[in-house]
Amino acid sequence: MKATTITLPPTSPRQLGEQPLVHETSKIKDSTLGPWTWIGPNTSITESTFGDYSYTAGDVSIIYADVGKFCSIASHVRINPGNHPMSRVTQHHMTYRRAQYGFGPTDDDAFFDWRRAAHCSIGHDVWIGHAAVIMPGVSVGAGAVVGAGAVVTKDVAPYTIVVGVPARPLRDRFPRAVAEKLLAIAWWDWPRDLLEARFNDMNDLERFIETYG
């Protein structure tokens, strides 16, 4: 039998630009993507914003969330998984997807509004590790790190590393004084020309803060 070669689209692009790049297997619904963004394979983004330069590695689900700039989101991350109505007789989604099951002409719009109200916020320069889950209503501060497999049920302070189930602070990424200076500099808001001019300083933390703080 003759072998057949199948060419798949690249999992990571060679070049990004002003136009967001979305893998052909991904689905974007009622969302806004910034420039220099890469949406990896099998990613789903619904009613969310996705900031400049951020990317997903693939198999990521994001709903009802604002993701900041320069965020690194590993594969199989879930941001804002859907809550079920535990206070009802049954938690099954037949009570709010009524039309699908023939229990009513329309779905329960109030329930979906309740889900939307539990919005997630991911700050700038956040790294979310493989298979981490950010629960509904949680905010993750700028510069934070979420460890692989963590389940984040409470807000995460800027430049804090959290791990575990449920996620707990492991340590600060930088001393508080350094973190405060980086927050004040807010380099993620620099325009492209300024980023290019100062790019070589970004690998030297001490020099960066001394120069721009």
Side-chain angles (χ1 to χ4, degrees):
M1 180 182 294
K2 185 178 180 181
T4 301
T5 301
I6 300 175
T7 302
L8 296 175
T11 56
S12 183
R14 293 181 179 273
Q15 183 65 53
L16 296 171
E18 291 288 334
Q19 184 68 27
L21 191 56
V22 179
H23 194 274
E24 61 184 22
T25 60
S26 294
K27 298 179 180 179
I28 313 299
K29 180 181 178 182
D30 299 328
S31 298
T32 302
L33 310 179
W36 301 92
T37 49
W38 160 239
I39 307 302
N42 302 307
T43 294
S44 172
I45 302 179
T46 303
E47 294 186 36
S48 299
T49 62
F50 198 77
D52 307 359
Y53 299 88
S54 293
Y55 70 88
T56 70
D59 296 288
V60 169
S61 174
I62 302 171
I63 187 169
Y64 310 145
D66 292 317
V67 177
K69 304 173 186 177
F70 298 93
C71 288
S72 305
I73 302 177
S75 64
H76 295 83
V77 165
R78 184 76 187 266
I79 299 177
N80 208 345
N83 270 329
H84 284 250
M86 293 187 292
S87 63
R88 296 181 179 181
V89 172
T90 176
Q91 304 171 107
H92 193 271
H93 61 189
M94 69 175 182
T95 64
Y96 51 92
R97 298 188 188 277
R98 296 177 298 217
Q100 188 175 23
Y101 288 87
F103 288 115
T106 61
D107 289 334
D108 185 351
D109 291 336
F111 175 82
F112 291 103
D113 289 339
W114 172 73
R115 274 187 173 175
R116 287 185 181 93
H119 208 78
C120 282
S121 177
I122 311 299
H124 307 298
D125 191 36
V126 169
W127 173 21
I128 303 179
H130 179 88
V133 179
I134 313 298
M135 295 300 288
V138 169
S139 293
V140 179
V145 178
V146 177
V151 178
V152 185
T153 60
K154 297 180 180 179
D155 291 352
V156 179
Y159 289 97
T160 301
I161 300 172
V162 297
V163 298
V165 181
R168 66 192 186 281
L170 177 65
R171 61 180 175 86
D172 291 336
R173 182 178 158 197
F174 298 125
R176 287 290 97 188
V178 172
E180 289 171 5
K181 289 179 180 178
L182 288 171
L183 290 169
I185 294 170
W187 59 266
W188 38 77
D189 289 331
W190 290 351
R192 176 74 186 195
D193 58 347
L194 208 55
L195 278 172
E196 292 178 353
R198 300 174 175 179
F199 184 77
N200 291 334
D201 294 330
M202 300 193 76
N203 288 341
D204 189 326
L205 178 63
E206 185 176 341
R207 183 176 69 191
F208 185 86
I209 289 177
E210 183 180 346
T211 303
Y212 306 111

